[in-house]
Amino acid sequence: MAAPILTTERLTNWFGKVCTAQDLCLGFEAGVVTSIIGPNGAGKSTLINLLTGHLPVQSGRILFRGTDVTRLPVHARVRLGICRSFQVVNVFPQLSALENVLIPVLAAAGRTRRFLAPVSREHAARAEAEAVLASVGLSERRDTPAAALSHGDRHLLEVGVALAARPALLFLDEPTAGMNPVERARLLESVRELAREGRTTFVIVEHDMDVVFSLSARVIVLNRGEVLCDGSPDLVRNDQRVREVYLGDEVVELLPTAEVAAP
C-alpha cells in the first residue's frame, strides 16, 4: 500500500445547522486515482474546498506529506503541490491556450516578475507549456484564444493550467461536465496516462458513473457529510447502502472495472 500523500483528522464543517463534513478521517495514497461521489449536498465540493484552502477548517486537521497545512492559505498549498480545478471553467478568455498554461509554468519556476518580458525569450518555459498542452490533447489549439475553444476544450485547458503548477495532488471537480463523448474520452485518456507516469495523484469529484468506475482505483461515497462507503469500485457498486442512497440497482450491473489500478 502506498503512503498517504494527504490525510485528514476528524475534519468537520458546518453551514449553519447543516453538517457538510463530520469527523472525516481520510488518507489519499500517492499514485492512486480516487473518485468522490454522492448525492447532491453530500459534502463533496465542501471537502475539496477544505482540503485546498478555499474554505477555512472549523475543526480537525489536514496533513500533507506529514506537514500540518490546516491553516495555510490557497497559494501556500499550491506551492506545496496541492491544486484543483473548478466546476465553472476558470481561464483567461482573451489569452491563447499556450499563454494560459505559460503563466503557471513561470510561476512554478519562480519567474512571475517576468510576465511582461517577451515570451519569445522563455524557451524552456514555452517548451514545458507546450508539453502540458500535449498531455491534455490541446497541441493543435495552442494559439487559439481560450474564449474561442469549445466548452470541453476549455475544461481540458483548465486541467492543463492546474497541471502546469506541477502539482503532487490535483483535485478535479466535475471535470467532464458539459463535454461531448470525444472530449470526455480525451480527458480520461489524459488522466490515465498522467496517473501512470506517477507525478500527479488525482482525486476526482464526478457525477458520471461511467467515468468514475472506468477511471478510479478507489471510490469514496459521501452522504450528509459522512463516509458511507470507501473502497474498490467493485466494493462500492455492490454495497447495498450505496445502491439505496445514490447508484440505484439499474446502474450498477453495467459499469466496467477501473482501468487505472493502484500501484
Side-chain angles (χ1 to χ4, degrees):
M1 181 179 292
I5 189 172
L6 184 144
T7 58
T8 68
E9 298 178 354
R10 304 195 68 179
L11 199 62
T12 299
N13 185 79
W14 291 80
F15 287 118
K17 295 182 179 181
V18 177
C19 185
T20 55
Q22 186 167 342
D23 289 333
L24 294 179
C25 297
L26 295 168
F28 296 95
E29 297 170 13
V32 176
V33 178
T34 300
S35 285
I36 302 173
I37 67 173
N40 290 334
K44 305 180 296 296
S45 294
T46 294
L47 177 58
I48 288 184
N49 286 333
L50 290 169
L51 298 180
T52 55
H54 290 84
L55 271 179
V57 172
Q58 296 172 355
S59 178
R61 293 206 306 162
I62 302 168
L63 303 176
F64 180 68
R65 290 175 167 168
T67 299
D68 192 330
V69 299
T70 309
R71 305 301 172 192
L72 288 184
V74 173
H75 68 271
R77 299 190 203 200
V78 171
R79 288 198 196 103
L80 288 176
I82 304 172
C83 296
R84 67 163 296 174
S85 70
F86 293 85
Q87 290 180 8
V88 178
V89 178
N90 189 19
V91 294
F92 294 103
Q94 302 309 316
L95 297 183
S96 70
L98 180 63
E99 290 167 335
N100 267 280
V101 173
L102 189 57
I103 291 172
V105 167
L106 290 170
R111 303 172 74 176
T112 52
R113 294 184 179 180
R114 303 196 64 180
F115 283 156
L116 298 180
V119 175
S120 59
R121 299 178 186 175
E122 300 290 346
H123 301 295
R126 284 177 63 90
E128 184 175 345
E130 288 174 352
V132 169
L133 286 179
S135 74
V136 295
L138 289 178
S139 291
E140 294 182 359
R141 297 166 179 79
R142 60 192 295 278
D143 297 320
T144 303
L149 295 173
S150 69
H151 179 77
D153 280 347
R154 287 198 298 274
H155 263 294
L156 287 168
L157 177 58
E158 187 181 28
V159 173
V161 169
L163 287 169
R166 305 172 188 172
L169 179 61
L170 178 54
F171 294 91
L172 303 178
D173 197 353
E174 298 194 31
T176 65
M179 287 188 175
N180 64 43
V182 173
E183 293 166 337
R184 186 177 71 169
R186 284 166 53 200
L187 176 62
L188 295 184
E189 184 54 37
S190 295
V191 172
R192 287 190 186 102
E193 185 59 34
L194 291 164
R196 290 189 194 105
E197 293 175 1
R199 290 181 293 181
T200 301
T201 297
F202 291 89
V203 178
I204 302 166
V205 168
E206 182 59 68
H207 285 291
D208 188 322
M209 292 301 100
D210 288 329
V211 172
V212 169
F213 286 102
S214 68
L215 189 62
S216 310
R218 176 191 181 193
V219 180
I220 299 170
V221 186
L222 295 181
N223 186 43
R224 297 179 179 178
E226 297 182 280
V227 175
L228 180 66
C229 188
D230 182 356
S232 68
D234 282 342
L235 183 150
V236 167
R237 63 182 160 190
N238 290 310
D239 187 284
Q240 186 59 37
R241 298 168 302 167
V242 177
R243 291 176 182 239
E244 293 172 356
V245 169
Y246 188 55
L247 291 180
D249 290 334
E250 72 282 358
V251 176
V252 183
E253 305 300 333
L254 302 176
L255 298 173
T257 305
E259 296 181 26
V260 178

